[in-house]
Amino acid sequence: MLPGMPSSRSLRSIGAAASARARHVVVLLLPHVHLQDLAGPVQVLFEANGFGADYRLRYCARTPELPSAQGLVFARLEPLPDPRGLDLVLVPGIDSRALDSPGAAVPVAWLREAHAAGARVASICTGAFALAQAGLLDGRSCATHWKLCELLQRRHAEVKVLADRLFVKDGSVITSAGVTSGIDMALSLVQEDYGPLVVARVAREMVVYHRRDGEQRQTSVFLEYRTHLSHGVHKVQDWIVSNPREHATLPRLARLAAMSPRNLTRAFRQATGISVKDFSRRVRLEVAAHLLEDPEARVESVATHCGFKDARQLRRLWKEAHGVSPARWKAGRQRTQSAPR
């Protein structure tokens, strides 16, 4: 690899599935599990498989049968597998009234072993209580349902509960606020594993118009302007995301959308609120942000790989968008990532 060249891993994560390798996922069911907490994230992973992902889902519990909070009974559940070799453990929330039941229902040792073996562990809603019981939230920030933040903090003083977050990623532990925020969290996991184009297609398939990030402050450009149902405009957006380095002419993009250039210009702005040119520029800037997270990446090489005319153009547009130079932004990110918890 040439000096300053973004790594192949960074490049693969932009615009296409990063890797087709299988990712083994255990959905850990606890008694009185909430159906939406379970179904939302699982549906995201299931839909992602239709767009090139490879999530191997297993539904496991300590008993082969258990009731949901809504009365549906799950049967033929698998026993807990060997935690080694797992990529992700999902812990959906349970009825809050069941939180005071005996804690034996939570496989504490198994959760600890799965996390120690390298699996990401993610909870939805009251699933955070199970992670806290296993000690996986000690010294970490986390989220749970807003009604239960105070209770979680009171029971586990060593945990930092953030009441205003949809989901929180702290190392390899991810917690969400519950119900539909589990979908937001799962979409973020798919983007991390397979890239923004796959997650954009999943969001469209599920009619999730606006994926929110964990802090609900800013959104990914790959999804922010997809709050519409225009098939032609979606095709143009998919092409731009997949080919950030290329500069397609308006007539070429119009052919993709099966429209005239004039109709595409009008339809794109009507659907997204911005022009095709602005969307393309914002995509390039977000791709540049992904690549600049690589400590070895140089602004000059990133500019080339993102389709900017030169590093000077990237620096100018970056400062307009972020208020600081790429170098200062990169230095700030590296300080944040290396700071001790």
Side-chain angles (χ1 to χ4, degrees), residues 27 29 59-67 74-79:
V27 183
L29 276 70
Y59 301 90
C60 304
R62 276 187 156 174
T63 58
E65 183 175 304
L66 60 77
F74 292 95
R76 300 177 63 181
L77 298 171
E78 296 183 44

Side-chain angles (χ1 to χ4, degrees), residues 237-260:
Q237 289 177 301
D238 286 351
W239 190 93
I240 292 172
V241 169
S242 296
N243 302 276
R245 189 174 182 176
E246 297 189 35
H247 291 264
T249 63
L250 187 59
R252 180 181 178 185
L253 294 176
R255 286 194 295 272
L256 284 174
M259 301 178 186
S260 69

Side-chain angles (χ1 to χ4, degrees), residues 43-275:
Q43 188 72 27
V44 170
L45 303 184
F46 171 81
E47 296 294 348
N49 284 344
F51 297 107
D54 191 5
Y55 290 107
R56 308 286 177 87
L57 292 161
R58 302 174 65 178
Y59 301 90
C60 304
R62 276 187 156 174
T63 58
E65 183 175 304
L66 60 77
S68 70
Q70 288 73 27
L72 179 68
V73 176
F74 292 95
R76 300 177 63 181
L77 298 171
E78 296 183 44
L80 298 175
D82 185 336
R84 292 170 294 182
L86 297 179
D87 294 285
L88 175 64
V89 176
L90 282 176
V91 186
I94 65 173
D95 188 336
S96 59
R97 292 169 294 186
L99 290 175
D100 293 323
S101 61
V106 178
V108 168
W110 184 88
L111 282 170
R112 289 172 180 165
E113 189 175 351
H115 180 256
R120 291 172 297 177
V121 182
S123 68
I124 302 93
C125 195
T126 52
F129 283 77
L131 302 195
Q133 186 178 333
L136 300 187
L137 298 183
D138 290 358
R140 299 182 187 270
S141 298
C142 73
T144 190
H145 193 283
W146 62 271
K147 286 185 177 180
L148 299 169
C149 288
E150 184 179 344
L151 177 62
L152 180 59
Q153 188 67 81
R154 187 167 64 248
R155 290 188 178 182
H156 301 277
E158 64 281 6
V159 175
K160 184 179 180 181
V161 183
L162 304 180
D164 59 347
R165 302 293 181 87
L166 293 166
F167 64 90
V168 175
K169 185 177 188 298
D170 193 331
S172 59
V173 177
I174 310 99
T175 51
S176 71
V179 199
T180 59
S181 68
I183 295 175
D184 298 300
M185 179 189 72
L187 285 169
S188 76
L189 294 173
V190 173
Q191 178 160 325
E192 181 179 320
D193 291 341
Y194 292 101
L197 184 56
V198 172
V199 80
R201 288 171 172 169
V202 171
R204 180 185 177 195
E205 187 74 15
M206 294 181 63
V207 201
V208 178
Y209 291 146
H210 192 170
R211 199 206 82 184
R212 305 159 292 180
D213 75 356
E215 298 183 359
Q216 204 179 5
R217 285 202 296 255
Q218 62 182 33
T219 55
S220 168
V221 68
F222 303 118
L223 291 172
E224 185 176 359
Y225 299 102
R226 299 181 72 95
T227 61
H228 61 85
L229 296 176
S230 172
H231 179 66
V233 173
H234 275 142
K235 289 188 72 173
V236 170
Q237 289 177 301
D238 286 351
W239 190 93
I240 292 172
V241 169
S242 296
N243 302 276
R245 189 174 182 176
E246 297 189 35
H247 291 264
T249 63
L250 187 59
R252 180 181 178 185
L253 294 176
R255 286 194 295 272
L256 284 174
M259 301 178 186
S260 69
R262 182 177 180 181
N263 283 342
L264 173 60
T265 299
R266 182 173 61 249
F268 198 98
R269 185 175 288 278
Q270 183 177 3
T272 67
I274 61 174
S275 68

